[in-house]
Amino acid sequence: PGAEPQQIVILLDSRAAARICPGLPEGGFGGSDSGLSGSQDVVAELIESGLILTPADVGGTKGTLVQGLLNVDPHMHVPDWLLAFATMNLCLLVMLQWRGASSLARSPEFLDRSCDPANPFYAHIRRRMAEALPAQLAL
């Protein structure tokens, strides 16, 4: 009681991604939908995805620990070296995008919306954060 780690878990509806974001290739990555052609194309399927955010005081780190979860079925055997190479490159690209997105969080438009006490979404987020992470209110 009280000793369990406090984390924020974000599960994404990956199977609905093509419907929600129509610009994505249907059916996965690669294959005829992606503009690639050839008899060796393989369509990979993104099954589930998500993020786990662990605050520094819980994770024992200098900052928030971010863990990404991807469950991808490539419909073929993938050697360990290729998986490690692809994972490192994917992580780099995600972090570069995240860095660019963090500048949006400092824009006047975002700050006006997220700090508005009448905004129901951000009011809910603030309430849940206050319940789950009371130490963060002191910052």
Side-chain angles (χ1 to χ4, degrees):
E4 297 86 17
Q6 301 262 340
Q7 298 172 312
I8 298 171
V9 177
I10 303 165
L11 300 176
L12 305 173
D13 189 1
S14 303
R15 291 189 186 267
R19 181 175 40 80
I20 296 167
C21 303
L24 295 176
E26 300 250 351
F29 310 100
S32 59
D33 296 13
S34 68
L36 302 174
S37 62
S39 61
Q40 296 183 359
D41 290 354
V42 176
V43 176
E45 181 182 2
L46 178 60
I47 310 240
E48 296 295 337
S49 60
L51 291 170
I52 300 173
L53 306 174
T54 306
D57 56 342
V58 173
T61 58
K62 292 194 315 190
T64 300
L65 175 65
V66 179
Q67 296 170 294
L69 306 168
L70 287 177
N71 184 359
V72 177
D73 183 357
H75 299 291
M76 61 181 248
H77 173 73
V78 178
D80 288 344
W81 66 267
L82 181 57
L83 181 62
F85 179 76
T87 301
M88 285 188 290
N89 282 297
L90 178 63
C91 289
L92 174 64
L93 292 173
V94 167
M95 295 311 290
L96 289 173
Q97 288 296 318
W98 199 329
R99 180 184 293 169
S102 70
S103 65
L104 295 175
R106 295 181 188 95
S107 68
E109 297 85 10
F110 178 80
L111 291 173
D112 288 344
R113 186 172 52 245
S114 63
C115 296
D116 178 10
N119 185 304
F121 174 75
Y122 289 104
H124 173 74
I125 296 294
R126 282 190 296 276
R127 186 173 53 255
R128 289 292 294 130
M129 288 179 67
E131 292 168 3
L133 304 166
Q136 295 295 313
L137 290 176
L139 297 178

